[in-house]
Amino acid sequence: MEATINFIKNIYNHLDTYGFPFLVFFIGVLEFSFGLYKKKWPKNERWVDIACFTLPRLIIRPAVAYFGLKFLPSALPGLKETFSWVPFFWGFIIIAVADDLTQYWYHRLHHEIPWLWRFHRTHHSASYMGMAMASRQNAIYTLFFSQTYLTTALVYLGLGVPAVIVKAIKGTITTLAHSSIPWDKPFYKYKVLHPIAWVLERVISTPATHHAHHAATTDDGVGYYKGNFGNMFFLWDIIFGTALISRQYPKAYGISHYEGDQWYAQLLWPIFKSKVEGSELAANGPVVRTDDFVKEEKPGLPVQELQRELKVLVAQ
C-alpha cells in the first residue's frame, strides 16, 4: 500500500512541477487558436491577467511556505505528523472538504459583504472567460485565502500526500471551469450522457455553471453571479441553496460599469488606487458602485447597460 501511495505521490509531484503548467499552457494555446482573446484582450487586461498569474507563484506561495515552515513548529510544537496514521483515502477526503468548503465561504462572503467585494472585484472585471481567469485575483485576496492556511496546517500535521493530489485535481477542475473550452456541452447534447451530466454538474464546477457566475446580468435566466460560488465542488452550492443549473452559457461577461481600472490598482488595491473616477477602486470611490451612479454620471450609456444588475450581493 505504501509503495502505491509513493507512486501516486511521485506522479502528482511531477504534475505539480511541470505537468500542471503544461496543462495551463495547452489550454491557453487552444483558446488562442479559437480566437478567444481576439479584440477582447487589450493591453491593460493582458497585464492584469499576467500579473495575477505570476505574482502568486513568485511571491505569495513562497511566503505562505515560509509561514508554514517557521510559524507552525512554534505554534503547534510536537504535533508535526500527528495525522500521519490517517489512511490515504480519508486524508484525501479531509483535505478536499476542508480546503474547498473553506474557499466556498471565503468566496461567497466576498460577494455578500460589501466592503469585501473590492478585494474580489478583479476576478469579475474581465468581459471574457478563459483559463487566465482562474488566477485573476487581487493579490491581497489571494494572500488571505483562508483555505491555504488551513491546508498548510493539515500538511504540517501529516496529510501531505493527500494535499498534493487534491491540489492537482482542484487546479485542473477550476482551470477547466474558467476556460472558454465548453468541454461539458457533449454531456448536455447527447441524451445517453444526460445521467452522467446530472451527476457531474452537481458534484464539480463545470464551464456552464461557473461561467454563469461571471455573467454580466441575471435577467436572462442563465447568468447567476449571486450564486454558483463553488470552486472544485459545486456540491456546496447544492447544499447551501446557491446553485443555478441552466446548461447554457451567458452571452456577456464582466461588470456593467467597469471602465478599465489600471492593472496595478486591480492587482494591489488598496495599496494602489484606480484613476477611474467613480470606480470602487478609486481613492474616493464607493464601496459598491451601483448603476444609479452610471445613469447619473454617464447618461450616454445604452439603456441595456444601465439596467444590468449590480455584480455583488448586498447584505440585507
Side-chain angles (χ1 to χ4, degrees), residues 80-116:
K80 186 176 181 179
E81 303 294 331
T82 301
F83 293 160
S84 59
W85 60 270
V86 176
F88 170 78
F89 174 79
W90 290 110
F92 178 90
I93 296 298
I94 290 170
I95 289 287
V97 170
D99 182 286
D100 206 55
L101 180 56
T102 307
Q103 187 172 1
Y104 166 86
W105 281 105
Y106 183 79
H107 181 195
R108 179 173 173 175
L109 290 174
H110 279 74
H111 280 266
E112 293 185 340
I113 300 177
W115 69 269
L116 287 177

Side-chain angles (χ1 to χ4, degrees), residues 11 17 24 39 45 53 106 114 141 170 178-179 183 203 218 232 238 246 248 250 256 272 287 300 304 309:
I11 291 176
T17 53
V24 171
K39 298 180 181 180
E45 302 310 309
F53 184 81
Y106 183 79
Y141 178 90
K170 181 172 182 174
H178 285 87
S179 173
W183 60 263
V203 175
T218 62
M232 176 167 61
I238 299 294
S246 69
Q248 299 179 59
S256 60
F272 296 109
V287 174
Q304 59 268 32
E309 295 182 27

Side-chain angles (χ1 to χ4, degrees), residues 41-52 117-128 136-138 254-270 272-289 293-294 298 311:
W41 210 29
K43 185 177 180 180
N44 184 66
E45 302 310 309
R46 193 181 314 147
W47 277 110
V48 174
D49 290 341
I50 292 173
C52 290
W117 162 245
R118 289 179 290 187
F119 291 103
H120 183 54
R121 179 181 182 272
T122 300
H123 189 60
H124 286 270
S125 60
S127 62
Y128 51 85
R136 182 180 168 121
Q137 298 281 9
N138 176 291
I255 303 173
S256 60
H257 50 260
Y258 176 65
E259 297 178 35
D261 298 286
Q262 295 76 25
W263 67 269
Y264 51 83
Q266 297 202 63
L267 179 67
L268 288 168
W269 182 92
F272 296 109
K273 304 294 197 307
S274 172
K275 297 178 181 179
V276 177
E277 184 180 355
S279 168
E280 289 116 325
L281 306 185
N284 297 312
V287 174
V288 176
R289 181 177 176 180
F293 178 92
V294 181
K298 308 289 183 181
K311 198 176 179 52

Side-chain angles (χ1 to χ4, degrees), residues 42 51 63 71 82 85 167 173 176 182 186 214 216 251 258:
F71 178 78
T82 301
W85 60 270
K167 178 183 176 184
I173 291 174
L176 290 175
H214 284 262
K251 293 181 180 179
Y258 176 65

Side-chain angles (χ1 to χ4, degrees), residues 64-298:
V64 173
Y66 179 84
F67 160 84
L69 292 172
K70 298 295 183 180
F71 178 78
L72 287 176
S74 300
L76 303 172
L79 295 182
K80 186 176 181 179
E81 303 294 331
T82 301
F83 293 160
S84 59
W85 60 270
V86 176
F88 170 78
F89 174 79
W90 290 110
F92 178 90
I93 296 298
I94 290 170
I95 289 287
V97 170
D99 182 286
D100 206 55
L101 180 56
T102 307
Q103 187 172 1
Y104 166 86
W105 281 105
Y106 183 79
H107 181 195
R108 179 173 173 175
L109 290 174
H110 279 74
H111 280 266
E112 293 185 340
I113 300 177
W115 69 269
L116 287 177
W117 162 245
R118 289 179 290 187
F119 291 103
H120 183 54
R121 179 181 182 272
T122 300
H123 189 60
H124 286 270
S125 60
S127 62
Y128 51 85
M129 285 295 286
M131 63 91 187
M133 294 298 297
S135 57
R136 182 180 168 121
Q137 298 281 9
N138 176 291
I140 296 175
Y141 178 90
T142 302
L143 177 63
F144 288 100
F145 263 163
S146 52
Q147 71 277 9
T148 301
Y149 298 95
L150 176 61
T151 299
T152 299
L154 290 173
V155 169
Y156 171 76
L157 293 173
L159 300 180
V161 175
V164 170
I165 297 174
V166 169
K167 178 183 176 184
I169 294 175
K170 181 172 182 174
T172 301
I173 291 174
T174 54
T175 300
L176 290 175
H178 285 87
S179 173
S180 65
I181 301 172
W183 60 263
D184 54 341
K185 279 189 174 182
F187 292 95
Y188 312 141
K189 181 178 180 180
Y190 301 106
K191 191 173 182 179
V192 68
L193 297 177
H194 285 184
I196 299 176
W198 191 93
V199 174
L200 193 68
E201 64 194 1
R202 284 165 175 77
V203 175
I204 67 171
S205 290
T206 63
T209 55
H210 199 70
H211 280 222
H213 178 68
H214 284 262
T217 181
T218 62
D219 59 11
D220 58 0
V222 177
Y224 196 56
Y225 49 72
K226 295 180 180 180
N228 291 18
F229 300 115
N231 295 275
M232 176 167 61
F233 294 128
F234 191 73
L235 185 63
W236 310 129
D237 288 287
I238 299 294
I239 293 173
F240 297 113
T242 55
L244 175 67
I245 300 175
S246 69
R247 297 187 176 182
Q248 299 179 59
Y249 282 73
K251 293 181 180 179
Y253 301 98
I255 303 173
S256 60
H257 50 260
Y258 176 65
E259 297 178 35
D261 298 286
Q262 295 76 25
W263 67 269
Y264 51 83
Q266 297 202 63
L267 179 67
L268 288 168
W269 182 92
I271 298 173
F272 296 109
K273 304 294 197 307
S274 172
K275 297 178 181 179
V276 177
E277 184 180 355
S279 168
E280 289 116 325
L281 306 185
N284 297 312
V287 174
V288 176
R289 181 177 176 180
T290 68
D291 283 343
D292 288 339
F293 178 92
V294 181
K295 187 174 182 179
E296 293 172 7
E297 302 295 329
K298 308 289 183 181

